[in-house]
Amino acid sequence: MKDLLVFDLDGVITSEEAYWDAAGLTVHELLYSPRYWHLGTGTPAEYMQYHPTPSAQESRHTSRAVFPEQALLTLKARAINSNWDTSYIWACLYLINLLAHLPDRAELLPLRPWDSDWITAFRRHLSQGEQHNTQSLEPDLRVLDTPPFHGAVGLDLINRCDDYASEVLDHPITGVFSRHSPFWTFCQDIFQQWYLGDDLYTQTYQRASGQPGKPGCIYFEQPLLPIERIRATLEALRQQGYTLGIATGRVRQEALVPLKRYDLLSFFDEQHISTYDYVEQAEAELRAQGKQLLLSKPHPFPFLLAFDRARYGSQPDSLYPEPISSTPYPFQPACIVIGDSTSDIIGGRAAGALTVAVFTGARTPEARSGLAQSNPDFTIDDVTTLPALLADIDSLQTIQRLQFSEREKAERLLQRWFARHMDLTTERVILTPRAVSLNSFNGVYRAGSEDYFFKTHVEEQGVLAEYYHAELLHNAGYNIVKPLRTLHTGGQQMVIYPLVDWPVMFDLLRDIETESADHVSLDLLVAAEQRECARLLEIYQATQTRSTAQEHAEAPIHQLFWHRLTGGRLDSFYQGKSIPFPEGQNSICFDDLLHYRWLINGVAQQYTLGQLIEQAKTALNPARAALTSIGHGDAHFGNVFLERRQNYLYFDPAFAGRHTPLLDIIKPLFHNVFATWMYFPQEIARTLQLTITTHDETLSIEHNYLLTPVRQAILQAKVQSLLTPMIAWLRAQNALPADWLLVMQAALLCCPLLTVNLSDGARMPPAISWLGLAQAVQVGNSGIKPWRTDL
């Protein structure tokens, strides 16, 4: 099911403190009650009585005295999820320590710590032996880092207690301290007496508590967070379209009591509530078949049951056995598990879900470290921040950003996105992050045993909707990959194409530059560029028409230039930011930089950056009548395949439409020729020599950045085969605006200044930032003239 959120309860929505109290009180009763091990000294009257603690405060004090919170959290960090299991393993380790200190254990073998006769004999041996301080017998959890426990987590850790006892007691122990041992059931029963209290225990199990006077820790429960905040959070998630489920180690009765008391139960879908009752029933069915599979967390079964009870509830034997596989179930990409323990994260991931770790249940550095080591996909401080997190991870901008740093996570998010927004169940998603993917991403997904290519463009602070006018381009004569499916709604855009195996021009040019091209030459690429320039000119001429100011203003291409300049991107990139100098000793505020004069490689620039930006806002204003043609708008080489080593094959027409050819050529002109630094900033920075001096609000920049031969050749082809004849054609049509050169220079200015954030030091080395700024000032003042000396 898509849009499903599955919550653990304790430590996420409900408090686990009352369960921890019951866990410690279980161990305390085993240690001190005359019914059980009966440790300690005192007057005979005191010695023969055991009085349950009557209040919440006394219960917590007594519980933590024998089961410190640090020990509880340490066990939780080892994926011991159920508090039945935490109290059980603590009792096992205590009992093994007690047995190890007895001088003679022969009468107690074989061990049967659940049997009343054995317990009587054990008490006698303890009373006859040397008296020990209970604290000296408290388990030392450092043993969990040694054989036979080392590397074990979850229920597997419990099952190794037999091996540990065999070593410590120097006698083979089997089936005494395992998870299916009668001793586990024995301890669980005492735990339930403490947690439910006399009355509720009798109602539930139809028998009296063994030790009367227990009030019930369940009545001591307190909300984890203010209930109003939790209710508001759950309501916000429902408003976002999510279905809410539960996967808890509590039995159903114990899960529903606090949810009803806090008026939270109505937020959760009954069909997606998984409690321990289902686990217990499934394990019993498996044991009847001779299978000893344990299905509690961190096994994925509780989560799979919450995902689809009908599918998984009837066939637990079809689930993979322990140890838990590192390969998750592949068919729940839209489900998210929210938990506070390693068992939640391990089990949720094994079930194929995204996982969110909540730190409210991990209150010590060790617990938080253990939770982080379980490798959740995301972490939050408390559940109230979940709506904001989900909005963020559902954003294509987040996926675009993560594709470079955490590709696997980005692929899982995209798999979920496909399921949520396109009802598309994918078998796998593979992102192909390229340096050219500055504001986009693409890749291949498999569905129904077929592979498909996908591409999206991410536009921050977008003002206009993006469109995918592939049919328009095809009818105009462009050689374009026609999409199979598109989505462009609510700020989310995606295009699905048939898989194309031709190489991308961006990669072919880079292969030439790095001398790694095997089957392509500079002459081949230049010839392809010349042919395409001639075809573009023909298309411009064949599709020409006069557009009104209103018609032209609606063209999507303006989102690449004027809307970036005036719609928020300029301010979000640079307002209040500083640009550090390459030496790293000083920096200059961008707001101040706007007023500086520039001297670039000895050539004085006429206008300041601030003046250029103000001129561009006027020159690029889209509300002007113009001669327009059908254009791709964003036909840089990252959006162009080289089909059959001859012809350009376009895709991703995110900004296609009818607009002036003066703007249509800008993106491919700048990005294909001048912007190698933008795509490979770290590599270019290694050989770039750039110095800056300042004097009286004048910046003097000297640098050695040159165009490579293949970039120079592409520039020459573009100027000779398209730019020059296009200007002549427009002039002959009396359609060349008086300010045409200013329009093109202003659009060129936007390419280095607003495609990437030059103030982002994490992405751009300082020298590259200044190179980008210098190019912006240079093209804003002179266009491509400084680079045309060879033409």
Side-chain angles (χ1 to χ4, degrees), residues 533 537 541 718-730:
C533 285
L537 185 59
Q541 294 170 342
K718 183 77 72 177
V719 170
Q720 291 181 342
S721 301
L722 180 58
L723 181 58
T724 300
M726 185 189 77
I727 297 300
W729 160 63
L730 290 173

Side-chain angles (χ1 to χ4, degrees), residues 13 109 125 154 197 200 264 299 344 346 378 430 511 747:
I13 293 176
L109 298 173
H125 277 266
L200 191 53
L264 300 177
H299 196 280
D344 295 317
I346 295 170
F378 301 96
I430 300 175
D511 288 344

Side-chain angles (χ1 to χ4, degrees), residues 542-585:
T543 62
Q544 66 175 304
T545 192
R546 299 281 177 167
S547 294
T548 67
Q550 181 178 349
E551 289 170 338
H552 192 225
E554 294 174 354
I557 196 171
H558 300 299
Q559 193 159 276
L560 292 172
F561 306 112
W562 190 76
H563 288 297
R564 286 183 174 179
L565 198 63
T566 63
R569 181 176 282 205
L570 178 69
D571 288 344
S572 70
F573 276 8
Y574 301 114
Q575 191 173 52
K577 307 292 178 58
S578 292
I579 313 294
F581 289 122
E583 296 78 10
Q585 296 178 347

Side-chain angles (χ1 to χ4, degrees), residues 624-748:
R624 61 158 67 186
L627 183 145
T628 59
S629 300
I630 302 299
H632 184 284
D634 194 26
H636 62 79
F637 281 158
N639 290 333
V640 178
F641 296 110
L642 186 60
E643 184 181 37
R644 297 183 177 87
R645 299 167 57 84
Q646 292 185 345
N647 300 317
Y648 286 7
L649 176 62
Y650 296 96
F651 64 98
D652 191 27
F655 304 97
R658 175 170 289 283
H659 45 251
T660 172
L662 293 174
L663 292 182
D664 194 66
I665 70 169
I666 294 300
K667 286 280 282 188
L669 176 60
F670 184 85
H671 286 268
N672 296 347
V673 174
F674 304 109
T676 308
W677 59 268
M678 190 182 296
Y679 301 116
F680 307 99
Q682 304 298 330
E683 181 178 333
I684 298 299
R686 285 196 288 270
T687 57
L688 177 65
Q689 297 176 17
L690 185 146
T691 60
I692 302 175
T693 56
T694 61
H695 180 69
D696 293 336
E697 290 200 344
T698 295
L699 279 165
S700 178
I701 294 184
E702 297 286 334
H703 67 80
N704 65 341
Y705 183 77
L706 298 172
L707 302 183
T708 61
V710 67
R711 306 287 172 180
Q712 293 177 8
I714 292 296
L715 174 61
Q716 183 170 344
K718 183 77 72 177
V719 170
Q720 291 181 342
S721 301
L722 180 58
L723 181 58
T724 300
M726 185 189 77
I727 297 300
W729 160 63
L730 290 173
R731 183 175 283 119
Q733 295 287 323
N734 197 29
L736 188 67
D739 63 346
W740 69 271
L741 191 57
L742 184 58
V743 169
M744 295 186 69
Q745 291 172 352
L748 285 167

